[in-house]
Amino acid sequence: MQKKTTTELLEAFFTGGLFATPENEETELMEAISRKLIEFACILGTVAVDARFAREAMGTTEAFPVSEIAADYGRSAQAFNKLLRDQGIQYKRGKRWYLYDRYQNRGYTATRLTARDTGGRVRTFSSMQWTVKGRRFLYDFLREQGIHPTAGKEARP
């Protein structure tokens, strides 16, 4: 059995289901309404996918800002980012940090979108955050380099 698209299912519903009318009573108005309803349903499907993506991007709870990891090592976010740069893990372009190619696509980082009001205008900013897997990678990598979390505090890899 071949899967039908949303459009095909809705067309079948409107032409042969609830909104079907006898042939002699079909009007252009009913056909126009049916087409508009199908079009609207397709738009809603697209919006639902976009909304799910936005919820996931804005509400990722499995990612940590660099400042949280840096605190485990008794450093500021700036100092920790520079440490990671010096270790060959990341580099800075403009105002953003990026992983070097050998560390990309391994699930170490996620992009977090944040909406901010900037003088009456809402703007969206993105930032790189570390996932649980990335945090564990940093802990193991830095430990191999002899860099450990500060005394009295355990890192949460």
Side-chain angles (χ1 to χ4, degrees), residues 43-62:
I43 291 169
L44 280 178
T46 302
V47 169
V49 170
D50 291 346
R52 189 178 80 224
F53 169 78
R55 274 193 311 275
E56 290 171 0
M58 296 289 279
T60 303
T61 57
E62 295 291 324

Side-chain angles (χ1 to χ4, degrees), residues 11-65:
E11 283 177 3
F13 175 74
F14 290 123
T15 58
L18 183 63
F19 291 101
T21 58
E23 240 179 90
N24 58 354
E25 293 180 17
E26 245 178 18
T27 64
E28 288 183 30
L29 179 61
M30 288 302 289
E31 290 175 0
I33 291 171
S34 293
R35 281 192 299 277
K36 284 295 180 186
L37 285 171
I38 292 168
E39 183 181 328
F40 181 67
C42 291
I43 291 169
L44 280 178
T46 302
V47 169
V49 170
D50 291 346
R52 189 178 80 224
F53 169 78
R55 274 193 311 275
E56 290 171 0
M58 296 289 279
T60 303
T61 57
E62 295 291 324
F64 307 94

Side-chain angles (χ1 to χ4, degrees), residues 35-137:
R35 281 192 299 277
K36 284 295 180 186
L37 285 171
I38 292 168
E39 183 181 328
F40 181 67
C42 291
I43 291 169
L44 280 178
T46 302
V47 169
V49 170
D50 291 346
R52 189 178 80 224
F53 169 78
R55 274 193 311 275
E56 290 171 0
M58 296 289 279
T60 303
T61 57
E62 295 291 324
F64 307 94
V66 71
S67 59
E68 188 174 325
I69 301 169
D72 291 341
Y73 290 85
R75 298 173 187 245
S76 68
Q78 284 182 328
F80 194 72
N81 276 326
K82 288 178 183 176
L83 170 69
L84 298 180
R85 179 200 60 203
D86 295 343
Q87 295 295 323
I89 295 172
Q90 65 182 16
Y91 62 96
K92 191 172 188 178
R93 183 180 298 149
K95 294 182 178 186
R96 290 207 45 199
W97 290 96
Y98 299 91
L99 294 180
Y100 280 108
D101 288 344
R102 66 182 162 271
Y103 299 116
Q104 286 192 17
N105 301 320
R106 293 187 179 190
Y108 293 157
T109 61
T111 299
R112 165 119 341 134
L113 300 175
T114 307
R116 293 187 202 142
D117 186 346
T118 57
R121 187 173 154 211
V122 177
R123 295 190 59 200
T124 303
F125 299 90
S126 64
S127 63
M128 181 176 77
Q129 295 199 344
W130 292 90
T131 62
V132 172
K133 184 178 179 181
R135 195 170 185 163
R136 182 65 197 202
F137 159 74

Side-chain angles (χ1 to χ4, degrees), residues 134-150:
R135 195 170 185 163
R136 182 65 197 202
F137 159 74
L138 291 176
Y139 176 79
D140 291 340
F141 183 93
L142 294 172
R143 186 184 61 205
E144 288 174 10
Q145 306 307 313
I147 302 168
H148 301 281
T150 57

